[in-house]
Amino acid sequence: MGLRNGNGGFSDRHYAYLSERNDDFSNIWGGMLTGDNKRKSDLPSDEAIGKAAETLGPLLYMRGAKEGRAHFALLTLRPSDRPSAPLRTDEREWQPHAVFNRYGVTADRYLFELPVGLPNGWYELDGERINLATDYEGDDMRVAFVSCNGQEQGDLEREKEQRNTLWSRLKAEHAEAPLHLLLQGGDQIYADEILDAHPLTRRWEDEEDYFGNDVTAEDVETIRVALSRSLFGRYLVLLGHDEAKSLLSSVPTISMWDDHDICDGWGSLAEGKLDSPVGQTVYEVAREHFLLFQQAATLDDLPDIMMDRTAGGFGVHVELPGLHVLAPDLRSERRPDRVMGEEGWRTFDEALKKAAGHRVLFVSTVPVLGPRLSLVESMMNIIPGAQKYEDDLRDQWQSRHHRKEWTRMLARLVKAKDEEGTDVTVLSGEIHLATRGTLACKTGTVHQLVASGITHDPPPRGWARTLGTLAWLGETPLPNHPIRMRSIPGHPRTYCDQRNYLRLMRKGEQWLAWWETEEDGTTDMLDLSAVDPSV
């Protein structure tokens, strides 16, 4: 369905058919930059994309550390007719490799390294010096975790300062005490509205019984072109907001996608929709842009930190001094009756074995610990209109459709804690609420910390209370290993219905965590090594 170029994308001739309409779209997506765009179905012109690209700062990615060296990738955009510039560090210059060239814009990727142990490391590009800390072995390593950076409808039209309130707070915290690592736990971008870019994708989304198997090869290519142009522009605008871009250029990031980075419910939708030509085109476009903007990679050039080298999934395992970060891909192999395929399970298990005896931050884009949802699912067929939420429930590990796989994951975490001496902390997002959970083991506790909605508004308060009621019932899918959902420090209810993000800090052998909530501010610290998990 198209001719791939050497970078794993598609030949630029497939994007040429819109070029004659550039002038028609320029004003519309130019308006998008100031929040005035209301015509969601229109596509950005090359001119508008070029303007948006000018607002995007460098994007910095963590590629791990070994033998005393910290490894990074950096992605920058430039006009294709302008030559690239070298990146400079205190040691040498580093040349880029062009990984994307379309719409008159070229994306350059730099692979560079710095010594581990620098509290004031830096890199310089185009005369601008950007500081980053590489003292990962220090007593106060600082990590931030965010998720759900957007909303399903109208994200581009929101007033930027209000949308990015918590990004501004995190930026201010970073200025006071530099972060060493930023973890992004899913839905870094809400791609749902790009389905408006073509009538067949809108029909595929809206009509339950339309799978999109009747499309022609020409239809598929026009769909691909429209979705690609729309999603590329969307990434540029949202990652170029001032409140976040200085963080994204100075704090190395590890990201994993979830459904909205593709479309709402991807993987939990009917298999006929997922596997149709329309569905596969939606996925392939989202994949190309996820790899580019969230991994600084292409399908033909995957980084070494990816656990699955077959490109069937894009889970990552990053090693730093005293810390392993594991982020399995819970979307690429997902189907209504499974969360991960066997290759995803195999590579995750291998990574967890490699991390045995160390501190592990396990990024699960969907919470591993949660309340019993089978009661809600059992009522789906008797509540009018409830069926439209079925894919949202199937997204969860706790869905009755994933019960066997859920217990498999819980058993693996218990084994890591009790038999391998691994201190695992689960970091999750997705639910647009803040909460935490504990899994009881013989040798201690596996903690789960949920921080969801750095820009997404919380759901209605009634939903938070419903989840709290379900959590009160308790859940023990593994005998003798009860799960308990608990409130974040200082909050009266199990689920906090405010926008939020999470901070973690290593103090010697101790790990501490705390939340920043939009209305109540900073919570007390939670000691992840405490004997009493209620502390």
Side-chain angles (χ1 to χ4, degrees):
M1 297 192 300
L3 300 176
R4 292 188 179 278
N5 62 30
N7 294 326
F10 287 78
S11 171
D12 285 345
R13 70 180 180 83
H14 294 108
Y15 298 84
Y17 91 105
L18 284 175
S19 62
E20 296 179 358
R21 302 181 64 192
N22 281 351
D23 292 340
D24 298 336
F25 300 124
S26 179
N27 292 332
I28 294 168
W29 270 63
M32 184 191 69
L33 299 176
T34 58
D36 297 329
N37 175 42
K38 302 299 180 184
R39 294 172 58 185
K40 301 181 182 64
S41 62
D42 288 317
L43 299 172
S45 67
D46 286 2
E47 180 183 0
I49 285 175
K51 290 179 179 178
E54 292 175 2
T55 70
L56 187 72
L59 301 175
L60 182 65
Y61 309 84
M62 172 55 72
R63 293 287 176 85
K66 56 184 177 182
E67 299 178 352
R69 307 289 292 179
H71 298 265
F72 306 95
L74 188 79
L75 190 75
T76 65
L77 270 67
R78 60 178 169 84
S80 297
D81 58 359
R82 191 185 76 194
S84 59
L87 179 149
R88 190 169 70 88
T89 66
D90 188 47
E91 298 175 322
R92 52 168 284 193
E93 287 189 348
W94 309 79
Q95 298 298 325
H97 171 62
V99 294
F100 180 96
N101 193 333
R102 202 177 295 158
Y103 320 124
V105 170
T106 296
D108 287 329
R109 183 189 62 205
Y110 300 80
L111 299 177
F112 71 102
E113 58 187 63
L114 292 171
V116 169
L118 301 177
N120 298 300
W122 56 269
Y123 69 88
E124 187 174 284
L125 189 64
D126 286 330
E128 181 181 6
R129 180 169 295 189
I130 297 177
N131 296 322
L132 69 154
T134 67
D135 50 337
Y136 308 123
E137 298 171 317
D139 286 342
D140 58 351
M141 182 180 180
R142 296 172 180 267
V143 180
F145 174 83
V146 306
S147 69
C148 301
N149 178 37
Q151 66 183 28
E152 293 84 345
Q153 300 293 327
D155 199 23
L156 296 178
E157 289 94 53
R158 288 198 284 174
E159 194 276 317
K160 285 195 292 185
E161 290 187 2
Q162 191 282 331
R163 178 193 187 275
N164 297 321
T165 297
L166 292 181
W167 278 114
S168 295
R169 292 189 197 176
L170 186 56
K171 177 181 176 181
E173 286 188 44
H174 175 55
E176 287 287 324
L179 291 165
H180 296 86
L181 187 62
L182 175 64
L183 305 179
Q184 299 198 75
D187 299 338
Q188 279 67 255
I189 196 164
Y190 278 65
D192 306 81
E193 284 185 317
I194 73 164
L195 299 182
D196 292 325
H198 197 284
L200 287 173
T201 50
R202 176 44 51 208
R203 184 182 175 192
W204 176 86
E205 167 77 4
D206 290 344
E207 297 181 19
E208 184 176 355
D209 59 350
Y210 179 70
F211 291 176
N213 290 315
D214 59 341
V215 299
T216 66
E218 183 179 2
D219 289 333
V220 167
E221 289 309 319
T222 58
I223 290 170
R224 190 186 309 281
V225 171
L227 297 185
S228 296
R229 186 175 281 266
S230 180
L231 187 55
F232 188 78
R234 196 174 194 87
Y235 266 105
L236 292 184
V237 171
L238 295 176
L239 296 183
H241 285 179
D242 290 338
E243 295 82 1
K245 72 178 183 180
S246 65
L247 285 166
L248 299 178
S249 66
S250 60
V251 185
T253 296
I254 301 172
S255 298
M256 184 44 57
W257 66 350
D258 201 34
D259 61 332
H260 290 287
D261 298 279
I262 308 168
C263 71
D264 187 17
W266 178 265
S268 296
L269 304 174
E271 289 197 80
K273 278 188 177 287
L274 299 174
D275 295 333
S276 71
V278 173
Q280 284 299 293
T281 303
V282 170
Y283 173 75
E284 289 167 7
V285 168
R287 178 183 62 191
E288 180 186 25
H289 290 77
F290 161 71
L291 289 173
L292 177 65
F293 285 105
Q294 297 192 44
Q295 302 292 335
T298 67
L299 194 60
D300 296 335
D301 185 12
L302 299 176
D304 291 340
I305 60 172
M306 285 193 175
M307 295 186 283
D308 179 0
R309 306 303 299 165
T310 69
F314 304 101
V316 299
H317 176 197
V318 178
E319 297 182 57
L320 294 169
L323 176 66
H324 289 244
V325 179
L326 274 62
D329 183 347
L330 305 184
R331 287 294 164 182
S332 292
E333 297 179 297
R334 182 184 285 264
R335 283 296 183 267
D337 60 350
R338 77 173 184 227
V339 179
M340 286 195 291
E342 283 305 313
E343 185 65 14
W345 275 105
R346 184 189 66 79
T347 55
F348 172 72
D349 188 59
E350 285 184 352
L352 201 52
K353 287 178 181 177
K354 189 175 183 181
H358 297 280
R359 167 65 62 176
V360 169
L361 297 180
F362 165 26
V363 178
S364 176
T365 52
V366 178
V368 175
L369 307 183
R372 184 182 305 175
L373 295 176
S374 56
L375 296 175
V376 179
E377 289 182 304
S378 66
M379 296 186 292
M380 296 295 288
N381 292 326
I382 62 175
I383 301 175
Q387 291 76 18
K388 66 180 180 179
Y389 300 109
E390 184 176 5
D391 63 290
D392 295 314
L393 291 174
R394 285 202 184 216
D395 280 346
Q396 309 304 315
W397 283 102
Q398 298 81 36
S399 168
R400 60 182 177 179
H401 302 282
H402 305 314
R403 185 84 177 185
K404 184 177 180 180
E405 214 171 346
W406 182 34
T407 57
R408 178 180 181 178
M409 175 58 77
L410 296 175
R412 187 62 186 91
L413 296 180
V414 169
K415 179 181 178 182
K417 179 67 176 174
D418 287 345
E419 298 180 23
E420 299 169 353
T422 308
D423 289 319
V424 180
T425 300
V426 184
L427 306 179
S428 291
E430 203 269 336
I431 61 175
H432 310 149
L433 298 162
T435 189
R436 64 189 182 99
T438 57
L439 173 65
C441 303
K442 292 179 180 179
T443 60
T445 302
V446 172
H447 290 269
Q448 174 180 269
L449 313 177
V450 178
S452 181
I454 189 167
T455 68
H456 195 293
D457 290 333
R461 181 153 294 177
W463 177 239
R465 290 176 175 171
T466 297
L467 288 178
T469 300
L470 292 171
W472 177 80
L473 296 174
E475 180 68 295
T476 310
L478 284 184
N480 304 315
H481 298 286
I483 292 171
R484 294 291 181 267
M485 300 307 296
R486 305 174 185 273
S487 61
I488 64 176
H491 197 269
R493 293 183 296 275
T494 304
Y495 291 87
C496 174
D497 53 349
Q498 300 176 35
R499 297 195 297 183
N500 63 92
Y501 62 84
L502 179 72
R503 292 287 306 278
L504 301 104
M505 180 171 63
R506 182 180 64 205
K507 297 288 290 183
E509 297 299 317
Q510 185 183 37
W511 277 84
L512 304 172
W514 66 100
W515 283 258
E516 179 71 20
T517 64
E518 184 169 16
E519 297 170 21
D520 297 339
T522 307
T523 71
D524 292 336
M525 289 187 178
L526 177 71
D527 185 351
L528 298 178
S529 60
V531 175
D532 181 358
S534 66
V535 173

